[in-house]
């Protein structure tokens, strides 16, 4: 019997028009769609990925919502992925394809990778890359990330502050993702390192409510899906 | 008089189906389209960005090809961007919009930034982010780039080998772009650093002729648009 394929499909940073043609085709013709939804302390959060593509999900498509604990102990999260993978596997075994919706790009910090790790040895898989949020944030501030020989470091703001400092000290461009409550700490670090004049704060890039300002003018509090960009310093790449 | 807008439009890594809906809309309705074409020693190279979208460029669209010297002295390249920007400015001044085609994402090592730096203070600009090649390469090898708190470093292979070594030694995931003739040097470096079992070689990602193999099995020579990925090491993110 033919096995179904698991598709990890990037839906981009937020603007539904930043879906790729391929993502649009796969989602709008899908029979089964899966996505992750975080269980916060105050109840389940609606999936951002699902919201981005809500208008093109076919009527009558079967939807698999995989609830995952937020900030949970690792073991608890792994159990949630086990259950989600098992539910997807049931469909794949009967030859049905499953489209997994992924915010941004599926393989850049996406929880899809935990499903893929559980299923890729038994089922065919295909990944559709998406527009990642650092590129969307750079588009919002209209500043080049990096030019020529400059490195770009993508950093989770949730990491150790010492690690972030080590990386930022090396120079080049940087995107500090998953900002949330780390905003004050990281703003202080960037100021101390003398990077404030190259730093921008971006929230809800490409969506209604987008904020894209110099970091010096950032609001006091930031949602989880916001970021700080430190743009490169190639003199030819920036307007004066 | 109303000024035209300069659009920097990412066309993704190669597969025309990885254009965003927004890029597709802007390109397929554009009156004026600009793109860069490298002048190699053996004659001008056809624009890769133009090739990706060739099928949707409207018949009768005006095309501005900006020839730039390959591996030229910086001053010579800057003169070419001056000329290209002037040609685009002529259109913008008369109220015509200009769509500039950009491989991958416009602000990640894209030459578009040199045009933007020359025009953004005088004309309205808009950037449409695109699928960047590191994400396309990860999709090709079906391996997560980074998970949870891991950093991802995007490196131009053309940079100093000492800088590349410093960055790779810090750990996390890495994407070494613009590989070309640096392949043997960088393969040796990755082997010496003990990273070979996490390293992949990717060429022509998402296009006909795609190669996506462990670095140990890479071909002897690599084109400029190829890359090495060093994937992260989160044990939960990878199949065993």
């Amino acid at each position: 019997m033919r096995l179904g394929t698991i598709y990890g499909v990037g839906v981009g940073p937020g603007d539904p028009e930043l879906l790729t043609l391929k993502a649009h085709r796969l989602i709008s013709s899908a029979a089964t769609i899966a996505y992750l939804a975080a269980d916060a302390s105050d109840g389940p959060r609606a999936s951002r990925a699902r919201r981005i593509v809500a208008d093109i999900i076919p009527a009558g498509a079967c939807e698999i919502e995989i609830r995952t604990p937020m900030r949970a102990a690792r073991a608890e999260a792994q159990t949630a992925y086990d259950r989600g993978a098992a539910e997807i596997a049931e469909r794949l075994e009967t030859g049905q394809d499953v489209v997994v919706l992924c915010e941004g790009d599926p393989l850049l910090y996406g929880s899809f990778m935990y499903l893929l790790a559980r299923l890729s040895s038994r089922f065919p898989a295909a990944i559709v890359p998406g527009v990642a949020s650092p590129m969307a944030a750079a588009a919002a501030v209209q500043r080049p990330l990096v030019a020529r020989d400059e490195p770009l470091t993508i950093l989770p703001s949730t990491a150790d502050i010492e690690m972030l400092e080590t990386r930022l000290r090396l120079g080049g461009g940087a995107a500090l993702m998953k900002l949330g409550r780390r905003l004050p700490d990281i703003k202080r670090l960037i100021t101390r390192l003398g990077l404030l004049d190259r730093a921008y704060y971006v929230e809800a890039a490409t969506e209604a409510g987008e904020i894209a300002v110099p970091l010096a003018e950032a609001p006091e509090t930031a949602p989880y899906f916001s970021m700080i960009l430190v743009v490169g310093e190639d003199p030819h790449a920036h307007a004066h």
Side-chain angles (χ1 to χ4, degrees), chain A:
Chain A
M1 177 155 194
R2 179 192 157 274
L3 295 170
T5 296
I6 178 169
Y7 289 91
V9 177
V11 301
D15 177 354
E17 215 187 359
L18 291 177
L19 239 68
T20 62
L21 303 174
K22 191 168 186 176
H24 188 277
R25 171 173 63 80
L26 288 167
I27 295 165
S28 61
S29 63
T32 305
I33 288 176
Y35 44 84
L36 292 121
D39 259 333
S41 53
D42 55 347
R45 297 276 155 84
S47 158
R48 279 186 88 234
R50 189 192 184 286
R51 193 185 72 208
I52 292 170
V53 300
D55 287 349
I56 63 166
I57 293 179
C62 164
E63 298 192 29
I64 301 175
E65 184 184 69
I66 301 168
R67 295 272 190 88
T68 53
M70 277 183 85
R71 296 198 187 80
R74 190 155 223 179
E76 199 183 326
Q78 296 306 318
T79 305
Y81 296 126
D82 284 343
R83 271 202 307 267
E87 202 172 344
I88 291 171
E90 278 178 33
R91 311 283 166 148
L92 300 174
E93 276 160 3
T94 62
Q96 297 169 69
D97 296 337
V98 177
V99 168
V100 183
L101 306 177
C102 310
E103 294 170 45
D105 179 79
L107 298 175
L108 182 70
Y109 305 114
S111 300
F112 170 72
M113 61 182 72
Y114 302 114
L115 301 173
L116 185 67
R118 286 162 170 77
L119 297 167
S120 65
S121 61
R122 294 157 54 207
F123 302 101
I127 318 286
V128 180
V131 174
S133 56
M135 288 71 193
V141 299
Q142 300 199 357
R143 302 286 291 192
L145 283 167
V146 277
R148 296 170 59 92
D149 283 355
E150 291 179 318
L152 172 67
T153 310
I154 297 178
L155 295 163
S157 302
T158 47
D160 289 343
I161 198 92
E162 292 76 17
M163 187 276 267
L164 300 179
E165 176 164 352
T166 303
R167 302 276 178 159
L168 289 172
R169 276 189 183 283
L170 288 176
L176 292 126
M177 296 175 62
K178 316 188 209 178
L179 192 57
R181 44 185 88 172
R182 299 301 297 274
L183 169 59
D185 291 348
I186 293 175
K187 186 175 171 185
R188 259 194 306 275
L189 173 62
I190 284 175
T191 305
R192 183 159 56 79
L193 297 177
L195 301 173
L196 197 58
D197 60 333
R198 292 199 277 129
Y200 296 84
Y201 170 81
V202 184
E203 176 181 324
T206 80
E207 292 184 285
E210 175 182 280
I211 300 174
V213 294
L215 178 56
E217 301 161 22
E220 301 263 305
T221 58
Y224 184 74
F225 284 108
S226 61
M227 88 173 65
I228 290 171
L229 290 184
V230 178
V231 301
E233 16 186 9
D234 185 298
H236 295 288
H238 298 274
H240 298 289

